[in-house]
Amino acid sequence: MTVLAAGLALLGSLFFALGAALQQFEAASAAPATLRRLVRRPRWLLGGLAVAAGTALHVVALKYGPLTVVQPMGVASLLFALPCAAALRRRRPQPGELAAAAVIAIGLIGLVLVVPEHTGEPRLGTGGAVALLAGAATAALVLWAAALQAPPARRAGLLAMAAGVLYGATATLTRVLVDGDWEPWFLLAVPLPALIALALLQRAYAVGHFGVAFAALQVADPLTAVAFGALLLGEPLPTGAASTLTALAAGALTAAGTVALARTTPMSPISLPAGR
């Protein structure tokens, strides 16, 4: 069953990467890259279906294998995404891009594996949910504001990080809805941050630095979910010197890989000006 879980998770990563590459290709050619404009593009919608299929395969994989096997396979989406995006642009991915992506993937795997698995039932009251949404909104707003005057590569990363923070908050709420104790209004609260995150992500994709944007999303989303889980749901964090050192080393690898990716990934041919 573990081999099946790993295979499903790897296939899910491929679908997720292909979907993201398709959506970035369309977002980079839309001016402005608004959801209203993008939903009229069949290829962008196809990308959304691929992302949904990848997410579903990842969920199914968790039913057949442990988190420690499935999550590292999910990180492989970054390695799939760059060749997919390059193929859509009819170019070959640069060796430096793939090397930087591999460094980020190794760092993410380290971060994923060092976080202890939580087996208890998550509980979140109204106060906690309000704090979660307010905290995520504030962080996303700060990142969005910082992106306005940033150079292209940094702007793509900051916008994608803002989207990742909101996706992390959405994932935390969804986990409570699926497995825990919750209030009825949580059902109404989930779609809003997810939609804002989707809009921010398309703006990040439209800048043109797909590798940077996708990597920033891959980093911000799970780390936000882990942080909210620890702060609001009582989920465990790494303990002990070995786990702490591993987490620090993994974080350093992830940061170094992202910086290298920003320097090596070329801009897409079509991109938006700074004010977009």
Side-chain angles (χ1 to χ4, degrees):
M1 286 297 184
T2 300
V3 174
L4 175 62
L8 288 172
L10 202 60
L11 183 61
S13 295
L14 178 59
F15 272 98
F16 192 86
L18 178 60
L22 285 169
Q23 290 196 325
Q24 191 273 338
F25 185 87
E26 292 300 315
S29 61
T34 61
L35 291 180
R36 180 180 297 181
R37 182 183 293 270
L38 290 171
V39 294
R40 299 173 184 172
R41 294 176 173 244
R43 187 154 38 191
W44 187 87
L45 292 173
L46 181 62
L49 290 175
V51 169
T55 303
L57 284 168
H58 186 83
V59 172
V60 173
L62 287 172
K63 293 184 177 294
Y64 291 102
L67 192 67
T68 52
V69 171
V70 174
Q71 289 291 68
M73 296 297 105
V75 172
S77 58
L78 180 60
L79 299 177
F80 292 141
L82 293 179
C84 288
L88 287 171
R89 298 290 177 187
R90 297 184 180 180
R91 68 172 182 87
R92 291 183 178 180
Q94 298 180 4
E97 288 181 86
L98 298 179
V103 170
I104 297 170
I106 292 170
L108 281 173
I109 290 172
L111 289 171
V112 165
L113 294 180
V114 82
V115 176
E117 187 173 356
H118 182 57
T119 56
E121 182 180 274
R123 296 180 180 276
L124 189 65
T126 295
V130 170
L132 183 150
L133 294 172
T138 300
L141 185 61
V142 169
L143 290 166
W144 171 80
L148 292 178
Q149 301 302 323
R154 193 181 304 168
R155 184 163 73 251
L158 289 169
L159 288 171
M161 284 180 65
V165 167
L166 292 173
Y167 275 135
T170 303
T172 303
L173 272 179
T174 302
R175 190 159 69 250
V176 173
L177 289 173
V178 171
D179 296 322
D181 186 15
W182 46 277
E183 303 291 335
W185 69 270
F186 290 6
L187 289 171
L188 301 176
V190 169
L192 183 59
L195 285 174
I196 297 174
L198 181 61
L200 284 170
L201 184 59
Q202 303 314 306
R203 289 300 181 98
Y205 285 164
V207 175
H209 287 273
F210 174 61
V212 178
F214 194 72
L217 176 70
Q218 291 286 92
V219 172
D221 184 351
L223 290 186
T224 300
V226 168
F228 280 135
L231 291 172
L232 300 174
L233 303 182
E235 296 182 349
L237 287 175
T239 57
S243 295
T244 302
L245 288 175
T246 300
L248 290 174
L253 279 176
T254 303
T258 303
V259 171
L261 193 60
R263 293 175 176 174
T264 57
T265 304
M267 281 277 286
S268 298
I270 302 172
S271 60
L272 297 176
R276 294 287 186 182

